[in-house]
Amino acid sequence: MTQRAAALSTSPFAADLLAGPRRRGTAVGARYALVGDEVLAVTPPAELRMPNGIEADLSLTPGEPVVVGNGELQTASATITYGPLWDPRPHPRFRLSLSPRPRLRLDTLPGRGPGLTPLGDDILVGYFAGAALAGADPDSLAAKADRAARRTTALSRTLLRLAARGHLPEAAHRLLEQGDPNPLLGFGATSGKGIAVGLSLLDEASAGKSRGRTVEFTLPLGSPSLRLRLVVARRNDAEP
């Protein structure tokens, strides 16, 4: 007998996927399901949410079949339906600056590094999302994200396209809205650090000059790993 429950929260991406026609997919980990060329995340209750996910008490077995659509996510043991919508687009109250500024060619980053989300993609997720939140042209940004998405893993592909809309993991919300860098810097092996770097690349004028909360971390962008200094400062009321 399968257990039936509503998700505790649902991202817009997941809501659209669930609302569509029934599609078969495969679990690619305890928390991810590949459906077509998109990846749906399943976040356990009370953990930091993903912009491509649902929050539900459900653990997937790698390789098990899933069915998504007609308002449901179905596995062999559970059926998860819609839950309240969660907004994955943060409302920044803090700005970031980084020193030293890594010299990066963005066009070389897609797919760079190991893992479900290579480090190069994580940096691009932060960069695209930061640009979207700063008011960049959405069509141009979507096109750039789509070009990068074609050169990497399925999970990164999904996250890059969502980043072009300003959608980010909840750990990044804690940094941008509350000024707390720790949840993001501790997110994944290097994913959160990469996102923080990407978010910081847009603010060239204040690099190394801002005053605020300072945290240092290393990132394997070369040999040896690069030691970075991130400053988190409250935005001025006059800023958009």
Side-chain angles (χ1 to χ4, degrees):
M1 182 177 179
T2 61
Q3 181 181 8
R4 188 178 183 88
L8 298 176
S9 64
T10 309
S11 70
F13 168 87
D16 288 344
L17 202 60
L18 266 63
R22 287 170 60 88
R23 300 166 63 191
R24 296 187 180 277
T26 305
V28 291
R31 299 189 179 186
Y32 297 105
L34 178 65
V35 183
D37 68 344
E38 300 173 312
V39 174
L40 174 70
V42 179
T43 304
E47 291 197 12
L48 295 170
R49 294 169 288 193
M50 293 290 289
N52 60 326
I54 59 173
E55 181 187 9
D57 188 9
L58 173 67
S59 181
L60 302 173
T61 301
E64 77 168 302
V66 301
V67 178
V68 180
N70 289 351
E72 299 175 338
L73 164 64
Q74 293 182 335
T75 71
S77 60
T79 297
I80 305 298
T81 61
Y82 285 107
L85 275 179
W86 169 64
D87 184 3
R89 184 179 172 109
H91 303 279
R93 298 175 56 211
F94 290 81
R95 62 187 303 168
L96 313 175
S97 65
L98 190 70
S99 61
R101 289 182 60 78
R103 295 183 178 181
L104 300 172
R105 284 186 52 190
L106 299 183
D107 61 327
T108 68
L109 292 180
R112 178 178 166 184
L116 289 174
T117 60
L119 177 57
D121 300 332
D122 298 324
I123 295 172
L124 286 174
V125 164
Y127 180 81
F128 288 142
L133 295 171
D137 177 70
D139 293 333
S140 174
L141 204 55
K144 292 177 182 178
D146 193 59
R147 285 195 293 271
R150 297 172 191 170
R151 298 164 55 191
T152 188
T153 66
L155 179 56
S156 281
R157 184 163 56 238
T158 301
L159 296 176
L160 284 165
R161 289 169 174 162
L162 290 173
R165 306 178 197 174
H167 295 189
L168 283 165
E170 192 173 12
H173 294 221
R174 300 285 179 88
L175 172 57
L176 295 173
E177 296 180 345
Q178 302 173 23
D180 183 1
N182 292 324
L184 184 59
L185 296 181
F187 178 65
T190 58
S191 291
K193 295 175 182 177
I195 292 172
V197 168
L199 286 168
S200 305
L201 291 179
L202 294 166
D203 194 2
E204 296 185 23
S206 64
K209 300 177 182 178
S210 296
R211 294 182 179 180
R213 181 174 180 179
T214 301
V215 60
E216 294 187 353
F217 62 95
T218 58
L219 199 65
L221 284 174
S223 182
S225 295
L226 184 63
R227 188 165 187 84
L228 299 168
R229 179 174 179 266
L230 178 71
V231 178
V232 184
R234 188 176 293 274
R235 292 164 62 103
N236 296 328
D237 293 339
E239 292 185 72

